[in-house]
Amino acid sequence: MTIAASIKIAQHAHQRLIELVQRYLAGDALKLLARLTLAGVFWRSLLTKVQTVGVFPYTEMINDFAVQRAYLRLPEFPLSLKASTLALFETEYALPLLPTEVAAWMATLAEFSLPILLVLGVMTRLSALALLGMTVVIQIFVYPDAWWSTHALWVVMTVFVAGFGPGRLSVDHWAGRYFAR
């Protein structure tokens, strides 16, 4: 086989790979992945703020000690803030103009409801914009040095979801099709 033929085969394989990525990843799958990733970031933050319950428990041995773990952690209902959450909002997360408890509950309720809406694809653009607003507040008032390490990624995801919408794998899409009749 000649070098020119090898290059031609490589070019064809490269073009085919690009077509596959565009067909399966650049559209609805990428939009779903962005929604799930963004939701996961804020959901995990919620789980640090509220009391949780473990689902699918298991025991792990660490240095000959049995440690109880769970494959899945969910918020305990009714939602109740951990004492450490209020302490963080009093000290490290101190926001101007908002009382500590109000700010803590606003963040907690947003981190509870907005990820659920994103996963389902309900009011997706509005939910992403709300998380963008939260990210800007966190960047400016809480962790101004975290732009490149964290917040830039959140901003890109929120702008992508808000700008391109939820895709066809969402309640928004199916509701729009139903009501467009």
Side-chain angles (χ1 to χ4, degrees):
M1 181 180 297
T2 67
I3 293 176
S6 297
I7 291 173
K8 193 84 157 162
I9 290 171
Q11 286 175 330
H12 178 71
H14 180 259
Q15 186 61 38
R16 186 78 179 112
L17 178 64
I18 289 171
E19 290 169 4
L20 288 171
V21 167
Q22 286 176 336
R23 175 179 290 159
Y24 295 109
L25 296 179
D28 296 316
L30 181 59
K31 292 174 184 176
L32 176 63
L33 180 62
R35 287 183 5 236
L36 295 177
T37 303
L38 186 59
V41 166
F42 286 91
W43 186 262
R44 286 177 43 224
S45 178
L46 163 77
L47 295 179
T48 67
K49 290 179 176 64
V50 298
Q51 299 298 328
T52 61
V53 60
V55 181
F56 309 119
Y58 66 95
T59 303
E60 182 177 356
M61 295 300 291
I62 299 177
N63 296 331
D64 295 329
F65 291 98
V67 177
Q68 296 298 317
R69 304 254 191 217
Y71 287 106
L72 177 64
R73 298 214 66 77
L74 295 173
E76 195 175 82
F77 288 98
L79 290 177
S80 67
L81 294 177
K82 293 179 180 176
S84 59
T85 300
L86 289 172
L88 277 172
F89 272 87
E90 285 176 5
T91 58
E92 192 171 336
Y93 301 168
L95 297 174
L97 306 174
L98 282 177
T100 300
E101 195 163 342
V102 171
W105 275 108
M106 284 176 64
T108 300
L109 293 174
E111 288 176 344
F112 175 76
S113 59
L114 297 173
I116 292 171
L117 294 174
L118 281 176
V119 167
L120 297 174
V122 176
M123 296 189 303
T124 308
R125 292 175 193 255
L126 185 61
S127 299
L129 289 174
L131 290 176
L132 176 62
M134 261 184 85
T135 301
V136 169
V137 168
I138 294 166
Q139 173 61 37
I140 293 170
F141 296 109
V142 181
Y143 294 122
D145 295 334
W147 175 253
W148 289 114
S149 63
T150 306
H151 300 148
L153 299 173
W154 298 357
V155 167
V156 169
M157 284 189 290
T158 58
V159 169
F160 178 82
V161 172
F164 290 100
R168 290 181 288 194
L169 303 172
S170 67
V171 172
D172 285 346
H173 172 77
W174 292 103
R177 286 182 54 141
Y178 178 78
F179 290 113
R181 294 179 185 177

